[in-house]
Amino acid sequence: MPTGLPCWYELVTTAPDEAASFYSRLLRWKVADAGIAGFDYRGARAGEDAVAGIMAAPEGMAPQWSFYVAVADCDAMAQAILAAGGAILHGPQDVPGTGRFAVAADPQGAVFAIIRLIRDDSAAFDPSGAGHGCWHELMTSDPHAAMEFYGRLFGWTLGETLNMGPDMDYHIFRHGETSIGGMMRQMPNMPGPGKPFWLPYFRSDGLKLAIARAKRAGGSVLFAPKAVPGGFITLGHDPQGALFALFGEK
């Protein structure tokens, strides 16, 4: 798998079993114990594709989603992250049967993860697949510095910039020829933890139906489907408080 391509999604939460039930209903996932020796970890599948993991949050950590970026050498990339002004928060560490990973933060403090996969067949990121990761959004204090940081590490390049209002430029970035996410300056009234953070989007089989499922399962939705290029989006909170994002048809 090419360096720089998103390849896995992960939720840390205060109630893994309850969260597994919620996302099984919201995204029609099948969730089961991942069977990783030494790890209390639940794996989620969209159809036959493994797409995400759910685990207990360390004490003091708020429930949140993150994602992993594929790399060829985890230890070398961890050193490159440090050299570029980022931080390594955990690892590098081996996961039996899976690969070697590290959790990192960019210079503005947004957390992400890297992994060298043993098997080069991840289908977690699939912009057209229901229940799969389809977009990656960074809210940050300095979009230009962030773009330089991630571009240096992962080869991401700047695509189109959309103006969404005063001081609200949305910078789309690409991996190769594929647009995979966007970055923008974080504003005080935006959802989220109040500090720079990444938010992965999952493709829905229909936002109105997904919103109804979220509410029935104990979650909340922040706004009705909102038109964006290519479809519609909505954001919400799961019952434990993690912010989630969906993209798809209305």
Side-chain angles (χ1 to χ4, degrees), residues 22 36 82 125 130 161 178-179:
F22 175 81
I36 303 174
L82 293 172
F125 172 59
T161 295
T178 303
S179 295

Side-chain angles (χ1 to χ4, degrees), residues 99-117:
R100 186 166 175 82
F101 82 99
V103 179
D106 67 25
Q108 288 71 47
V111 175
F112 64 99
I114 58 172
I115 188 166
R116 177 190 58 79
L117 293 168

Side-chain angles (χ1 to χ4, degrees), residues 80-102:
I81 289 169
L82 293 172
I88 298 299
L89 307 180
H90 180 89
Q93 178 183 350
D94 290 326
V95 179
T98 300
R100 186 166 175 82
F101 82 99

Side-chain angles (χ1 to χ4, degrees), residues 158-173:
L158 184 63
E160 185 180 5
T161 295
L162 307 176
N163 181 261
M164 301 174 66
D167 200 28
M168 290 183 66
D169 286 341
Y170 192 83
H171 308 281
I172 294 173
F173 61 91

Side-chain angles (χ1 to χ4, degrees), residues 65 67 135-139 197-201 235 243-245:
W65 277 100
F67 73 102
W135 195 252
H136 311 84
E137 193 166 81
L138 176 64
M139 297 297 180
F197 73 104
W198 280 102
L199 180 64
Y201 281 66
L235 272 61
L243 183 66
F244 66 83

Side-chain angles (χ1 to χ4, degrees), residues 6 45 91 107 122 137 140 145 157 227:
R45 290 184 176 272
S122 171
E137 193 166 81
T140 180
T157 57

Side-chain angles (χ1 to χ4, degrees), residues 18 76 80 129 146 148-150 159 167 181 188 210 215 225:
E18 290 83 349
E148 182 178 351
F149 173 81
Y150 290 103
D167 200 28
K215 291 178 178 178

